[in-house]
Amino acid sequence: MQDAKNQFAQRLRMAMEAAGYEPRPAVLEREFNTRHWGKPMTLHGVRRWLLGETMPDHKKLVTLAEWLRVPVQELGYGETDAPHRVRERPAQWHAGLGYQDRELFEIYLRLPVPKRRLARDVILAIARAHAAEEAEREPH
């Protein structure tokens, strides 16, 4: 099992470097916690990932893989032996957005998780109010 943890740590470091990040605990903690919706990781916790002492659970692994843009299976467990595997690039959900909307999403993603949750709650409240207004306007 220790070998699997060390191999994961190596793949994580390589994926961070390939994505343009320094494979340092402070960088990993900051970037991970701005993207993960669960309990935040500590500096010590992510350091243990980078040193091969522990591995993240599946939800955290998914967050890491999405951030670093690598397949979850590959990041967590290495390349599979499937020679005929087809890799599709996921559709970019933001392709149709204008500059201002993209900028807003980038700002949102840089917020700490509690503030992102607050922003999300505000947007959902506005959306619910709008839906109620629309329902009132419809002829009965």
Side-chain angles (χ1 to χ4, degrees):
M1 183 66 180
Q2 190 58 38
D3 194 41
K5 292 175 188 174
N6 285 327
Q7 289 174 2
F8 165 75
Q10 183 178 4
R11 287 189 300 274
L12 177 59
R13 289 189 303 269
M14 288 172 43
M16 286 180 70
E17 288 174 347
Y21 295 93
E22 264 189 279
R24 293 186 7 234
V27 173
L28 180 54
E29 177 197 27
R30 180 188 68 234
E31 297 300 325
F32 177 83
N33 286 334
T34 61
R35 291 166 173 81
H36 188 65
W37 285 94
K39 183 179 175 186
M41 286 297 296
T42 63
L43 187 63
H44 180 69
V46 298
R47 179 183 157 278
R48 294 182 72 200
W49 290 349
L50 288 170
L51 293 176
E53 295 175 2
T54 61
M55 286 183 64
D57 64 31
H58 185 71
K59 287 182 181 180
K60 291 179 175 93
L61 187 61
V62 169
T63 300
L64 289 168
E66 288 175 355
W67 162 47
L68 298 169
R69 298 179 186 213
V70 295
V72 176
Q73 176 72 22
E74 189 176 308
L75 179 62
Y77 310 102
E79 284 286 335
T80 62
D81 292 334
H84 301 292
R85 181 173 53 169
V86 176
R87 287 190 184 186
E88 292 184 31
R89 188 173 196 119
Q92 292 188 352
W93 61 269
H94 55 78
L97 293 177
Y99 171 75
Q100 290 177 329
D101 290 331
R102 265 193 219 138
E103 183 180 42
L104 180 64
F105 279 109
E106 288 172 8
I107 291 167
Y108 169 80
L109 290 173
R110 287 193 303 262
L111 291 172
V113 172
K115 293 200 175 104
R116 285 195 337 216
R117 286 188 181 134
L118 176 63
R120 182 177 182 273
D121 289 344
V122 169
I123 292 168
L124 289 173
I126 292 169
R128 283 192 291 273
H130 177 70
E133 289 171 2
E134 292 292 312
E136 280 183 18
R137 288 187 198 143
E138 290 183 10
H140 295 267

